[in-house]
Amino acid sequence: MKFKKLLLFLLVLFTNIIVNHQTVTAQQMLPCPAVDAQGTRPRLNPIQSVSPQEQAGDRDIDDNIARKAIEVIGFFEAGGGDPWANVNNTDTISIGFMQWNWGTRSIITTLFRKTSRQDIESAPSELQSDLRRLKDYSDNFNSSDKAQIASSVISGWTRAVPNDVLVNGIRRSVRNNLTTWLNTAAMKSVQLRLMNRELGKAFFYARAWRRDTKSQKPIDARLVTYFFDLLTFNGGMQGLWTQHVRQFRSNYPTRKATIETVTNWLASCDEFYSPNTQFHRLYNLRDALKNVTYWREKIAENENAFDDEQIDLLVLGLLRAQLSNGSDKPRGFPGIFQADVLTRRGVIALGGYARGSERPITFF
């Protein structure tokens, strides 16, 4: 009887080892990008989607922390430029501090929905009729007629005409007029109101993260900036939370082993090539590969170069990157942002190279 119990125990143990080994192997073997050609994401591990619980006061904004978060996100979004007046052709066209864009329709559902017709009057006169058409669409989002009219506006903005060439994918005159409008007091106020909504959510995530990781430390600028950037750049958590980070880290006994696994995946992004799209490689590989070397060297020099929360945030960045299925239509492919997603998360958490910097940057 005892022998049978021992055999049963060994069988269960062996089965668990095999299952755990398969889980680790699956994590290590996820390709870059980790979505298929249709943009289907990998399953969460554990599979449950998690939403943190909110408590009273979680969205209260600390002005000093918020100021630092805005400064860092402004750097990522515009480099040395003015983030408030940013205009570029990501996702067809992206404008403003938080890159409200046509590809996801956030320019309509978020920016123009909160922009009044009086705010539009502050724009250069030659731009106002187009802006009113976009505002009409935001007020009647289910109208196919309004959608078609708005689409024609965007097509016109992104198509060169005689004596009006494209600059960064946008007609020069349109780009100049949009920049002027976004820099007005009225539109900076609209942008700030929208940012404060996301900032409040970032403060909530930061406070919930500290609670759910059993940390007694008060929230800080790094944590709030991390979540603010995630909300700004990625569109939320996609069901990820502390449980998924704990599960991932349970497979790797040391901080060094964890960083090696994360950087191995990031380095593998350099091997991907898409032959049938305008852009063949993942975005921001230059910074990504420099950070692979930088993070490996830092942890090799000192196992305690980064604390556990920094490693947790790096892992969360990896998991979130692998769920990123944006394609920057019509130029790219599903997952084209994945290396950049992890790079931004990692640089906020650990420091590193960003926006083509020649030297590593440490924000915190």
Side-chain angles (χ1 to χ4, degrees):
M1 193 66 173
K2 290 182 179 179
F3 181 73
K4 288 184 179 179
K5 287 183 178 179
L6 178 59
L7 281 178
L8 180 60
F9 171 78
L10 291 173
L11 179 61
V12 171
L13 180 62
F14 180 76
T15 301
N16 287 336
I17 290 172
I18 293 297
V19 169
N20 288 335
H21 173 73
Q22 289 173 341
T23 300
V24 174
T25 302
Q27 290 170 341
Q28 291 173 336
M29 294 303 291
L30 276 177
C32 178
V35 295
D36 64 22
Q38 288 72 47
T40 304
R41 298 177 167 115
R43 295 176 66 186
L44 298 178
N45 181 26
I47 63 173
Q48 290 83 6
S49 177
V50 178
S51 297
Q53 297 300 304
E54 186 170 354
Q55 296 183 6
D58 275 352
R59 295 181 188 245
D60 291 349
I61 293 174
D62 178 296
D63 289 340
N64 290 328
I65 291 177
R67 194 175 300 114
K68 180 64 176 179
I70 290 172
E71 173 192 326
V72 173
I73 304 310
F75 171 81
F76 275 114
E77 293 297 333
D82 179 3
W84 299 95
N86 203 352
V87 178
N88 63 67
N89 62 345
T90 301
D91 284 317
T92 306
I93 182 170
S94 297
I95 69 174
F97 198 105
M98 296 181 70
Q99 296 291 280
W100 296 283
N101 62 75
W102 179 252
T104 65
R105 297 299 189 270
S106 61
I107 192 173
I108 300 298
T109 60
T110 303
L111 181 62
F112 273 89
R113 185 161 290 174
K114 294 298 182 181
T115 299
S116 70
R117 296 184 185 274
Q118 185 176 356
D119 295 328
I120 290 173
E121 292 175 4
S122 66
S125 57
E126 56 266 40
L127 189 66
Q128 288 185 21
S129 61
D130 281 350
L131 297 180
R132 291 191 188 98
R133 292 184 180 101
L134 297 181
K135 178 62 180 174
D136 289 342
Y137 182 29
S138 76
D139 290 342
N140 302 273
F141 190 65
N142 294 320
S143 166
S144 58
D145 291 340
K146 301 296 184 185
Q148 187 173 358
I149 292 170
S151 182
S152 69
V153 169
I154 300 300
S155 295
W157 285 1
T158 55
R159 184 176 59 247
V161 297
N163 301 317
D164 199 357
V165 299
L166 297 182
V167 177
N168 199 12
I170 316 298
R171 275 174 41 212
R172 186 195 301 275
S173 64
V174 172
R175 190 173 188 275
N176 291 342
N177 286 332
L178 283 171
T179 297
T180 298
W181 181 53
L182 291 166
N183 252 326
T184 62
M187 287 311 297
K188 282 190 174 181
S189 178
V190 170
Q191 293 185 66
L192 188 58
R193 287 199 302 272
L194 290 170
M195 287 167 60
N196 279 339
R197 185 177 66 183
E198 299 303 312
L199 268 170
K201 193 181 297 183
F203 274 90
F204 153 49
Y205 279 143
R207 291 182 172 108
W209 184 268
R210 285 281 162 84
R211 285 196 299 269
D212 293 347
T213 56
K214 312 301 182 187
S215 173
Q216 300 301 312
K217 296 189 298 183
I219 60 171
D220 56 23
R222 174 190 284 129
L223 200 56
V224 171
T225 302
Y226 184 97
F227 286 115
F228 183 44
D229 185 60
L230 190 151
L231 291 163
T232 303
F233 186 68
N234 288 148
M237 304 296 295
Q238 293 297 325
L240 292 167
W241 198 239
T242 57
Q243 294 90 325
H244 303 95
V245 173
R246 282 199 302 269
Q247 175 62 36
F248 184 95
R249 290 198 64 184
S250 70
N251 296 301
Y252 306 101
T254 64
R255 297 171 186 172
K256 183 178 180 180
T258 306
I259 284 186
E260 287 176 348
T261 301
V262 173
T263 54
N264 283 343
W265 181 86
L266 186 56
S268 76
C269 296
D270 193 35
E271 301 169 8
F272 180 81
Y273 184 87
S274 173
N276 300 317
T277 51
Q278 179 182 346
F279 294 119
H280 306 301
R281 312 290 300 281
L282 277 79
Y283 288 157
N284 202 21
L285 281 175
R286 182 173 179 268
D287 283 344
L289 298 176
K290 289 169 72 173
N291 283 315
V292 165
T293 300
Y294 176 70
W295 296 333
R296 285 174 177 173
E297 288 178 347
K298 291 288 287 185
I299 201 72
E301 292 169 2
N302 178 9
E303 178 78 22
N304 297 313
F306 310 115
D307 64 28
D308 276 321
E309 181 169 84
Q310 289 175 283
I311 302 297
D312 283 347
L313 294 177
L314 181 67
V315 168
L316 181 60
L318 170 70
L319 300 178
R320 186 59 185 84
Q322 291 174 339
L323 296 178
S324 174
N325 62 359
S327 61
D328 194 8
K329 291 180 180 180
R331 305 182 297 175
F333 50 87
I336 196 169
F337 296 105
Q338 289 197 358
D340 194 33
V341 171
L342 176 52
T343 295
R344 285 175 70 137
R345 298 293 150 269
V347 172
I348 291 172
L350 311 181
Y353 294 88
R355 298 287 303 196
S357 63
E358 293 302 317
R359 296 181 180 180
I361 298 169
T362 302
F363 292 111
F364 308 101

